[in-house]
Amino acid sequence: MVFTSRDQHREGYEEETAGFQTGFAQRPAVVFAASSADDVVAAVAYAAAAGLPVGVQATGHGLPGAVEGGVLVSTRRMDGVRVDAGARTARIEAGVRWGAVMEAAAPHGLAPLSGSAPGVGAVSYTLGGGLGLLGREFGYAADHVRAVELVTADARLRRVTTESDPKLFWGLLGGGHTLGVVTALEIGLVPVSRLYAGALAFDGGVVDPATVLRAYAQWTATVPDTLTSSFAAVAFPDLPMFPEAVRGRYVVSVRVVFTGDAAEGERLVAPLRAVGPVLSDSLREMPYTESGSVFSEPDVPHAYYGDSAVLRELDVPAGAELLALTGPGASVMCVVQINHLGGALAKEPDVPNAVPHRDGRYLVRLLSAVAGTDLATVRAHYARVLAVVEPWTTGRSVNFAFGGAAYGAEGLYGPDTRKRLAALKGHYDPANLFRRNYGV
């Protein structure tokens, strides 16, 4: 199906352009609602002939780049999943969400390297690197891709592997939708069926948040690579939309995902439980298919802005200052998350790719709702917050630059990676059809 801007007040156009991110309006001139790779070929051929930019929207939490007056390819109908249990692989189409992959893999005792929210689109997540629940044990999702199917700017459908085109394969994984429209991925699955996982939450009005952060920083220096975790802090407004248990509270929590047995998990988290009285404790054994409960992220579309900083180390005094700037007294409501990196995330994969900043040991993520909020105020506040950790910052994460932050290229890649991506861009998309190219 094809919709044009003349249809923008009709249900079909609005349905295709609406996404999970509601804070930034999209008004493409033409929308191709693709059901197959052939539909994507037709969309790219049309855009190339008309000299219009192309953006891609699947089912994820981000937005495509500059599609105002251009062509939007909606791939949400391309939702096929096929698991090869013997090879431990899955072929996933462009509109597939992680929850569907998890359900398809589970009967075989397998799991994908999915993220914290089952509703996130699997393909775009992976093209940006894919920092998942099992990252410290298995690395980035992009490290486990076997093949990429995409339509390049010449409207040609290609299957790209390390054997067929190692340079293009390298750039697609970590470079996002910058070199074509990816229609499917073949990904590796891992032999994980159950977890010891959940969250410990503290009332920041009872337990000093900086104390929890200090304990977390010390604790992460001791845990095995089979444990992936994050620290989070959010001052919940006293509004009825939030659960009563957290409404009006400053909640500080540690989320844990461990592939070992429950007894060892209990031993590992004991130092965290000793920090102080908990507001809630959801740590338990669970099937991998229930891993979304660890973070319990909202699944209702809303308006938000976000950015990030990859850190060489976590300086606790700087972290305490960051919490002070984003806590209950902040002018902008901020959700803060600090992911523990390292382990397999710090290693070069067997097949190299463009995922940057593997020297990072922590990732600071900021997220703010922007409905009814001046975006310039949010950006200015973020600048002050991220300046606190600037001495330890190596860059930003492609996966966690949301809203307007997604279009700024600074820090997303190191100079060598940017140079290589620019060369690929010049070869495969010399007319810059795919405009969201992160400065390359």
Side-chain angles (χ1 to χ4, degrees), residues 2 5 20 65 67 316 320 370:
V2 179
S5 55
F20 191 86
V67 293
V316 173
V370 293

Side-chain angles (χ1 to χ4, degrees), residues 123-216:
V123 167
S124 291
Y125 161 97
T126 302
L127 296 178
L131 174 60
L133 297 172
L134 306 177
R136 281 177 40 80
E137 184 170 358
F138 295 104
Y140 289 96
D143 299 344
H144 296 260
V145 173
R146 308 290 181 83
V148 182
E149 298 172 30
L150 82 156
V151 178
T152 43
D154 55 2
R156 175 184 166 190
L157 178 62
R158 305 170 186 250
R159 177 179 167 85
V160 180
T161 66
T162 56
E163 291 78 22
S164 69
D165 192 334
K167 292 181 180 179
L168 179 57
F169 186 84
W170 173 90
L172 289 168
L173 301 173
H177 283 287
T178 63
L179 300 168
V181 182
V182 174
T183 59
L185 295 176
E186 182 182 316
I187 61 171
L189 302 173
V190 295
V192 172
S193 59
R194 49 142 308 278
L195 304 167
Y196 173 81
L200 290 174
F202 302 88
D203 185 336
V206 176
V207 181
D208 178 22
T211 299
V212 180
L213 180 62
R214 183 180 301 106
Y216 178 71

Side-chain angles (χ1 to χ4, degrees), residues 225-295:
D225 292 350
T226 49
L227 191 152
T228 303
S229 68
S230 64
F231 169 96
V234 57
F236 287 93
D238 189 5
L239 297 173
M241 68 183 69
F242 295 106
E244 186 174 354
V246 300
R247 193 181 305 159
R249 296 178 187 266
Y250 184 34
V251 179
V252 181
S253 58
V254 177
R255 290 85 166 255
V256 173
V257 176
F258 177 54
T259 57
D261 63 47
E264 179 63 6
E266 288 285 307
R267 187 190 71 78
L268 287 170
V269 301
L272 296 176
R273 287 201 172 109
V275 171
V278 296
L279 186 63
S280 64
D281 181 345
S282 64
L283 285 160
R284 63 183 175 89
E285 277 204 293
M286 65 177 69
Y288 191 84
T289 51
E290 293 180 14
S291 59
S293 67
V294 175
F295 287 73

Side-chain angles (χ1 to χ4, degrees), residues 16 32 44 100 207 303 369 412:
E16 295 305 323
F32 282 79
V44 173
V207 181
L412 290 177

Side-chain angles (χ1 to χ4, degrees), residues 420-432:
R420 290 182 65 182
L421 287 172
L424 289 169
K425 185 73 173 174
H427 180 75
Y428 287 99
D429 186 17
N432 197 19

